[in-house]
Amino acid sequence: MAHTGINVIEKITHNVYLLNIGDRNVLTTKSRYSPHYGERKFGEYREWMPSRSKLASMLLNYRIDIKPEWKCLYLGAASGTTVSHLSDILDRGVIYAVEYAAKPFTKLIELAEERKNVIPLLKDASKVEYYSGIVEKVDFLYQDVSQRNQVEIFLKNIEFFLKRKGEAVVMVKARSIDSTVEPEKVYRDVIKQLEKELKILKYDVLKHHRDHIFVHCLNI
Ligand SMILES: C[S@@+](CC[C@H](N)C(=O)[O-])C[C@H]1O[C@@H](n2cnc3c(N)ncnc32)[C@H](O)[C@@H]1O
């Protein structure tokens, strides 16, 4: 369907655009692929809803410069909702997409059949030795696993796979780590733990995801 009245408000990073369509603003990735999960397409732009993707939510409020040639390790890929948009961004790079649940993984395989820059791995992200022979050193590590020991998993993967000066983003879900204390206390403890190993570039709440923060780190 042809769409008239699409205006680019802002280029956020490579292939990520905030558009104005009709009377609303829509975050999108520029894509030559068809929709993956029922998202709308406006010409060559795929809608990227911040309520469905924590990375989209982060990018709307905090910009990071994701380079199209980056190699990425993605932990907690699920069925590939966010991976599909990251694949649009990293159109000269590669994404090693790790997921341990078989059901969403079948949909992730469909994505990888269409997109050559997605390598799906049915693996447990806490057992790096099972994929250390497959994944190379990466420029960017992204984690969204909502596990009690998610910081430990994140740091272990960084140690194995992230290049020096590489960037990493972790999505922290307070209730998954400890539902008995205030989220702010969980966040403080997470930051303290991360600071021992990494330089924290920024952390903040995710506006579209309750009791979550993102943390953007640099491997020093
Ligand atoms: C919140 S969902 C991820 C959503 C996805 N990142 C997106 O934005 O499209 C979390 C996923 O992490 C997976 N997961 C949790 N622990 C994991 C582990 N140790 N190894 C691999 N995957 C894990 C879960 O099976 C689930 O699919």
Side-chain angles (χ1 to χ4, degrees), residues 52 54 74 76-78 81-82 98-101 104 123-126 144-147 153:
R52 296 199 61 175
K54 291 166 203 126
Y74 189 120
T81 301
T82 300
V98 175
E99 171 56 52
Y100 71 179
K123 303 283 182 200
D124 183 339
S126 66
D144 178 19
V145 296
S146 311
Q147 290 286 311
I153 295 173

Side-chain angles (χ1 to χ4, degrees), residues 11-189:
K11 179 178 177 176
I12 287 180
T13 188
H14 180 70
N15 278 349
V16 181
Y17 293 89
L18 187 62
L19 305 180
N20 181 267
I21 303 172
D23 59 356
R24 59 187 205 107
N25 293 347
V26 180
L27 186 72
T28 64
T29 51
K30 199 172 182 181
S31 179
R32 59 193 175 90
Y33 296 100
S34 47
H36 176 58
Y37 56 96
E39 73 281 18
R40 293 188 301 174
K41 223 178 159 195
F42 306 99
E44 58 188 337
Y45 300 98
R46 291 170 57 227
E47 182 168 15
W48 192 9
M49 286 171 68
S51 58
R52 296 199 61 175
S53 169
K54 291 166 203 126
L55 184 58
S57 177
M58 182 192 93
L59 286 174
L60 268 181
N61 297 295
Y62 170 66
R63 314 288 193 244
I64 65 170
D65 184 19
I66 304 174
K67 305 267 192 269
E69 66 279 3
W70 272 1
K71 292 179 174 123
C72 168
L73 174 59
Y74 189 120
L75 308 173
S79 54
T81 301
T82 300
V83 172
S84 70
H85 292 283
L86 202 50
S87 154
D88 290 335
I89 301 169
L90 303 177
D91 56 1
R92 284 181 267 137
V94 66
I95 305 170
Y96 295 94
V98 175
E99 171 56 52
Y100 71 179
K103 199 165 172 220
F105 192 75
T106 54
K107 183 96 178 132
L108 187 63
I109 291 176
E110 281 173 29
L111 183 77
E113 277 167 359
E114 198 185 14
R115 293 162 177 259
K116 297 300 162 222
N117 63 351
V118 177
I119 300 174
L121 298 168
L122 184 61
K123 303 283 182 200
D124 183 339
S126 66
K127 301 195 167 89
V128 291
E129 52 282 5
Y130 287 102
Y131 52 94
S132 59
I134 305 169
V135 176
E136 59 194 314
K137 287 270 180 191
V138 297
D139 308 281
F140 184 52
L141 194 146
Y142 180 83
Q143 183 192 278
D144 178 19
V145 296
S146 311
Q147 290 286 311
R148 190 174 179 81
N149 62 339
Q150 68 165 112
V151 174
E152 192 189 310
I153 295 173
F154 183 63
L155 289 173
K156 195 167 175 191
N157 278 272
I158 285 178
E159 186 191 335
F160 265 75
F161 302 111
L162 189 61
K163 290 179 187 170
R164 238 185 111 238
K165 303 280 177 210
E167 295 183 33
V169 170
V170 57
M171 298 301 175
V172 177
K173 184 175 177 182
R175 275 175 291 124
S176 297
I177 293 178
D178 190 344
S179 57
T180 64
V181 297
E182 283 299 301
E184 285 65 30
K185 155 106 179 85
V186 175
Y187 302 150
R188 273 198 305 276
D189 291 349

